[in-house]
Amino acid sequence: MAIIVERKRLSFWERTYLPQILSGLYITLKNFFAPKVTLEYPDQQPVIPQGYRGAPVLVCDSDGRHKCVSCQLCEFVCPSKAIKVTPSAIPEDSQYAFIEKGPADFQIDMSRCIYCGLCQEACPEQAIFMGSEFSINAYTRAGLVRHKDDLYKIGGVVPDKIMKWQKIKEREAK
Ligand code: SF4
Ligand code: SF4
């Protein structure tokens, strides 16, 4: 059954539309004098809040050693297949030969990355972190693929809590 809703008659002031116009002007004036929230990007850059999850990067420990052991877990969990790790063996005569592997190359295709952070969650070495970068651009698709050296350069240093550089016995003695 149809319900008929009676329309309320407008008062004299409502029919002039002045209250609505004045309330709209009041909001405009209030915002005109309010502190500015817009930035002249890119000349002005926003403050990045702590814990912001930007583009993924690789990090070194405080001695400048690369943390990634090319286990490929991040590549496996990445839902958009943005990561490609090329593992290689650490030379047998190296003092770190017991670590076994390190990446010959490590690529992250930023045109595929969805900033989900799963790579960071999965990494057993805390070698990959979500950085603070939020604006990544290039003229070509290939320009959006970041390689190992760039990723380490952008990532910088994060002190090592994993201590993979010590052999298991030395770690246990600590
Ligand atoms: S943030 Fe997500 S999509 Fe981007 S590389 Fe890591 S796992 Fe892949
Ligand atoms: S970044 Fe972490 S998860 Fe990815 S290959 Fe390196 S050690 Fe493994």
Side-chain angles (χ1 to χ4, degrees):
M1 191 180 79
I3 297 172
I4 298 167
V5 180
E6 258 191 57
R7 280 190 105 175
K8 188 182 146 233
R9 275 181 70 80
L10 297 178
S11 69
F12 170 74
W13 280 110
E14 283 169 335
R15 270 181 283 148
T16 63
Y17 293 109
L18 281 175
Q20 289 76 13
I21 292 169
L22 289 177
S23 71
L25 284 175
Y26 168 71
I27 291 169
T28 307
L29 270 177
K30 204 169 76 175
N31 285 308
F32 187 79
F33 292 108
K36 280 187 195 166
V37 289
T38 49
L39 292 175
E40 291 195 22
Y41 184 84
D43 296 330
Q44 292 177 319
Q45 293 282 331
V47 178
I48 306 294
Q50 261 214 331
Y52 179 80
R53 297 201 330 186
V57 287
L58 292 174
V59 294
C60 299
D61 74 354
S62 32
D63 291 321
R65 294 176 292 209
H66 291 179
K67 286 188 171 189
C68 177
V69 293
S70 65
C71 67
Q72 294 176 282
L73 271 179
C74 53
E75 183 176 352
F76 182 73
V77 296
C78 179
S80 55
K81 303 281 173 237
I83 299 179
K84 188 166 176 247
V85 186
T86 312
S88 72
I90 291 184
E92 276 179 21
D93 55 351
S94 160
Q95 60 170 319
Y96 300 120
F98 60 92
I99 294 167
E100 292 181 8
K101 286 197 297 179
D105 194 17
F106 193 114
Q107 295 175 19
I108 304 183
D109 185 345
M110 291 313 301
S111 66
R112 298 188 71 110
C113 177
I114 55 169
Y115 299 73
C116 66
L118 283 177
C119 49
Q120 177 179 328
E121 301 289 328
C123 180
E125 298 290 338
Q126 297 185 351
I128 189 164
F129 278 87
M130 304 304 282
S132 56
E133 249 186 313
F134 61 91
S135 169
I136 295 164
N137 39 58
Y139 288 108
T140 59
R141 278 171 184 263
L144 287 168
V145 179
R146 290 182 156 173
H147 292 266
K148 186 176 97 171
D149 290 344
D150 294 330
L151 291 166
Y152 272 120
K153 206 163 133 194
I154 303 164
V157 167
V158 172
D160 198 0
K161 291 185 187 154
I162 304 288
M163 295 201 299
K164 74 175 184 197
W165 312 104
Q166 271 103 32
K167 288 182 180 157
I168 290 172
K169 278 187 185 163
E170 291 168 9
R171 264 184 260 171
E172 284 167 355
K174 286 214 166 203

